[in-house]
């Protein structure tokens, strides 16, 4: 009934020594030969199997394999209804990306310059954040006449990168001595704006509130269009709850994060009381995907801006090289971790439009004729989760879609004895009903899933 196997093969599978013995026993029991029985079913209009008017036969073997797979594993089934009329909030805050410049060669070496330009082609605009340590070393020399410094700023300004500076001051550091050196940098930047057009810069100031006010006044006197951002630290965290009135077009407040922060109640209260706060996420090691996911969820929950700061030493492995020699070197530098982080940053930066749905595990955005769905890893489940999303009020006509899984390197893929791998879990299916789109997929703790849906233009 359910296969196209030869009668002889069916006989052999069921323990008969030959085909004739099987036919004899079958005829004695059902009063018809196996061949005639099968042919009779094929000609039955109401019988679904082997009926040319249905598609069930073509997909039955696949269904049979899926049933076998599911009976061997524990799978949870979850169905979620989303109504397009109930949008949570407009204008999702797209994350910013800053490359943290530690080494002057990052912007003067031709190979590193090509990496930065390749990243721009991949993800669009991103900024450069010059580290305090880099300029502290330059302050000790006559940097105004340094050819490498000229080359560094020429490359950055000619390619119209947004430029930011990190300024760090210790509690007991002499502010008068620092301002003398700092004015030299501002004067140099003023000359740059003359040659490359008027531009604004950003300054992330990690200092006490008194030092911040002194430095921000100097910046405003020299570069009026520049922005100054106070980076909260242990000295001035207690002021954060009262700083909302200090925020304007040119002054902002930011909180820098290096690790997981879910349990930090102080930062949570700061986020709730400062709607204009910026979150600076700067991981110390590249494989901080769980931390980035956590912080991104915070940015959605509290409607905060988030800037992701990536070390320039990771660029070699984030953008694969064309040279085989360099690719071997990159593999030795933990390329997988770096590239996974880059993939996730790229995915988050592509989000735009309105937030249609967010429950902590699933995020759905809408922009013109496109929808994007991010399925974050569910660390509470022990195996797999089958999701069904019912999108009500879906008005697009014929659609095209693509999906992509970002595997988390420090977790283990599900591989069973039957040879099934992540490819089975990566499958996404769509079904249309009147005014509704049904999206079905599998998710697990081992991958982040990104689904992109757009109206097809014929």
């Amino acid at each position: 009934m359910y296969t196209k196997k030869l009668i002889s093969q069916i006989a052999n599978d069921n323990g008969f020594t030959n085909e004739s013995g099987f036919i004899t026993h079958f005829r004695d029991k059902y009063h018809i030969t196996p061949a005639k029985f099968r042919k009779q079913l094929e000609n039955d209009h109401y019988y679904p199997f082997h009926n040319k008017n249905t598609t069930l036969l073509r997909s039955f073997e696949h269904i049979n394999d899926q049933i076998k797979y599911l009976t061997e594993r524990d799978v949870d089934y979850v169905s979620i209804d989303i109504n397009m009329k109930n949008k949570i909030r407009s204008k999702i805050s797209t994350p910013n990306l800053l490359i943290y410049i530690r080494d002057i060669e990052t912007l003067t070496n031709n190979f590193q310059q090509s990496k930065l330009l390749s990243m721009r082609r991949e993800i669009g605009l991103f900024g450069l954040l010059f580290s305090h340590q880099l300029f502290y070393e330059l302050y000790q020399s006559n940097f105004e006449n340094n050819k490498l410094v000229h080359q560094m700023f020429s490359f950055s300004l000619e390619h119209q990168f947004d430029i930011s500076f990190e300024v760090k001051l210790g509690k007991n550091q002499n502010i008068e001595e620092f301002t003398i050196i700092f004015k030299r940098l501002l004067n140099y930047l003023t000359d740059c704006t003359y040659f490359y057009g008027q531009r604004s810069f950003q300054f992330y100031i990690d200092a006490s509130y008194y030092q911040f006010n002194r430095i921000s006044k100097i910046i405003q006197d020299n570069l009026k269009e520049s922005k100054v951002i106070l980076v909260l630290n242990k000295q001035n965290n207690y002021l954060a709850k009262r700083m909302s009135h200090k925020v304007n077009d040119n002054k902002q407040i930011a909180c820098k994060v290096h690790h997981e922060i879910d349990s930090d109640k102080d930062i949570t209260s700061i986020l709730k009381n400062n709607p204009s706060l910026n979150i600076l996420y700067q991981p110390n090691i590249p494989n901080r995907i769980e931390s980035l996911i956590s912080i991104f969820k915070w940015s959605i929950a509290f409607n905060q801006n988030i800037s992701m700061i990536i070390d320039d030493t990771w660029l070699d492995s984030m953008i694969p090289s064309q040279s085989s020699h360099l690719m071997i070197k990159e593999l030795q530098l933990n390329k997988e971790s770096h590239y996974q982080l880059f993939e996730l940053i790229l995915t988050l930066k592509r989000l735009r439009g309105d937030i249609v749905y967010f429950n902590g595990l699933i995020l759905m955005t809408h922009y013109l004729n496109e929808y994007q769905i991010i399925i974050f890893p569910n660390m509470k489940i022990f195996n797999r989760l089958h999701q069904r999303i019912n999108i009500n009020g879906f008005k697009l006509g014929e659609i095209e879609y693509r999906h992509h899984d970002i595997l988390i390197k420090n977790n283990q893929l599900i591989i069973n004895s039957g040879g099934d791998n992540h490819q089975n879990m990566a499958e996404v299916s769509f079904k249309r009903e009147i005014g509704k789109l049904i999206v079905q997929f599998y998710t697990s703790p081992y991958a982040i899933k990104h689904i992109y849906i757009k109206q097809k233009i014929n």
Side-chain angles (χ1 to χ4, degrees), residues 405-420:
D405 282 6
I406 303 171
L407 304 184
I408 300 178
K409 180 176 182 292
N410 58 344
N411 291 326
Q412 184 180 0
L413 283 176
I414 299 176
I415 300 177
N416 66 10
S417 58
D420 291 312

Side-chain angles (χ1 to χ4, degrees), residues 28 44 48 73 136 165 170-171 174 241 255 269 271 278 291 365 415:
D28 291 343
D44 186 349
R73 293 196 160 274
Y136 184 79
F165 298 90
K171 183 177 181 181
N174 190 317
K241 296 180 181 179
C255 179
S269 63
L271 290 173
N278 293 287
S291 182
T365 63
I415 300 177

Side-chain angles (χ1 to χ4, degrees), residues 65-102:
D65 292 338
Q66 288 296 312
I67 293 173
K68 181 180 178 182
Y69 176 76
L70 294 176
T71 55
E72 294 175 352
R73 293 196 160 274
D74 295 319
V75 181
D76 293 327
Y77 295 88
V78 175
S79 182
I80 298 174
D81 290 316
I82 298 177
N83 194 326
M84 294 301 300
K85 296 180 181 179
N86 301 329
K87 295 182 180 179
I88 296 178
R89 184 174 67 247
S90 297
K91 303 297 181 183
I92 184 172
S93 299
T94 303
N96 298 317
L97 175 62
L98 297 173
I99 306 301
Y100 192 61
I101 308 299
R102 295 177 181 269

Side-chain angles (χ1 to χ4, degrees), residues 122-223:
E122 288 283 339
I123 67 174
L125 294 176
F126 61 87
L128 306 175
L129 175 59
F130 292 96
S131 68
H132 177 78
Q133 184 62 32
L134 173 61
F135 271 94
Y136 184 79
E137 295 172 358
L138 295 176
Y139 290 152
Q140 310 303 318
S141 61
N142 187 17
F143 73 88
E144 294 91 339
N145 298 318
N146 188 322
K147 291 183 179 180
L148 286 177
V149 174
H150 297 333
Q151 185 179 346
M152 177 174 65
F153 279 106
S154 296
F155 171 79
S156 303
L157 293 169
E158 284 177 358
H159 291 89
Q160 299 183 339
F161 285 102
D162 291 331
I163 297 177
S164 305
F165 298 90
E166 180 185 52
V167 180
K168 284 187 176 182
L169 287 178
K171 183 177 181 181
N172 300 320
Q173 189 167 349
N174 190 317
I175 186 67
E176 304 300 334
E177 292 180 359
F178 177 80
T179 54
I180 295 173
I181 300 174
F182 189 64
K183 285 180 179 179
R184 290 171 53 198
L185 171 63
L186 298 180
N187 288 332
Y188 181 83
L189 294 177
T190 303
D191 292 337
C192 289
T193 61
Y194 174 79
F195 288 106
Y196 296 99
Q198 184 64 36
R199 289 180 53 85
S200 63
F201 301 92
Q202 294 191 74
F203 296 85
Y204 292 92
I205 303 174
D206 187 350
S208 68
Y209 191 56
Y210 167 75
Q211 294 169 331
F212 169 77
N213 283 330
R214 286 288 305 273
I215 297 172
S216 61
K217 185 179 185 306
I218 296 172
I219 294 172
Q220 296 303 315
D221 290 342
N222 289 270
L223 297 169

Side-chain angles (χ1 to χ4, degrees), residues 179-351:
T179 54
I180 295 173
I181 300 174
F182 189 64
K183 285 180 179 179
R184 290 171 53 198
L185 171 63
L186 298 180
N187 288 332
Y188 181 83
L189 294 177
T190 303
D191 292 337
C192 289
T193 61
Y194 174 79
F195 288 106
Y196 296 99
Q198 184 64 36
R199 289 180 53 85
S200 63
F201 301 92
Q202 294 191 74
F203 296 85
Y204 292 92
I205 303 174
D206 187 350
S208 68
Y209 191 56
Y210 167 75
Q211 294 169 331
F212 169 77
N213 283 330
R214 286 288 305 273
I215 297 172
S216 61
K217 185 179 185 306
I218 296 172
I219 294 172
Q220 296 303 315
D221 290 342
N222 289 270
L223 297 169
K224 296 183 181 300
E225 297 184 8
S226 296
K227 292 182 179 180
V228 290
I229 299 99
L230 173 63
V231 179
L232 299 181
N233 55 37
K234 293 181 180 179
Q235 300 176 42
N236 51 37
N237 270 353
Y238 72 97
L239 292 173
K241 296 180 181 179
R242 305 175 185 177
M243 284 185 177
S244 295
H245 66 285
K246 296 288 186 182
V247 176
N248 55 42
D249 292 338
N250 293 323
K251 285 187 178 181
Q252 298 179 5
I253 308 172
C255 179
K256 182 176 285 188
V257 178
H258 296 276
H259 302 294
E260 299 284 355
I261 57 173
D262 285 355
S263 60
D264 197 322
K265 296 182 180 179
D266 292 334
I267 297 180
T268 303
S269 63
I270 292 172
L271 290 173
K272 289 181 178 179
N273 290 283
N274 289 274
S276 300
L277 185 72
N278 293 287
I279 301 176
L280 304 178
Y281 171 67
Q282 186 173 12
N284 293 326
I285 56 175
N287 202 8
R288 277 285 177 183
I289 289 182
E290 291 90 345
S291 182
L292 176 54
I293 292 173
S294 174
I295 294 166
F296 178 70
K297 289 180 181 179
W298 271 33
S299 71
I300 297 174
F302 296 108
N303 195 21
Q304 307 285 354
N305 296 319
I306 177 173
S307 295
M308 295 167 285
I309 304 174
I310 301 302
D311 202 293
D312 61 353
T313 58
W314 301 350
L315 293 179
D316 286 346
S317 52
M318 282 188 153
I319 300 292
S321 304
Q322 300 300 319
S323 166
S324 58
H325 170 71
L326 291 170
M327 286 193 72
I328 294 173
K329 179 182 178 181
E330 289 171 2
L331 290 173
Q332 297 172 347
L333 293 173
N334 202 11
K335 169 187 167 184
E336 294 82 1
S337 295
H338 296 188
Y339 190 70
Q340 286 166 5
L341 187 63
F342 174 72
E343 277 189 304
L344 180 55
I345 291 172
L346 173 60
T347 300
L348 297 181
K349 279 179 64 66
R350 284 173 172 163
L351 296 174

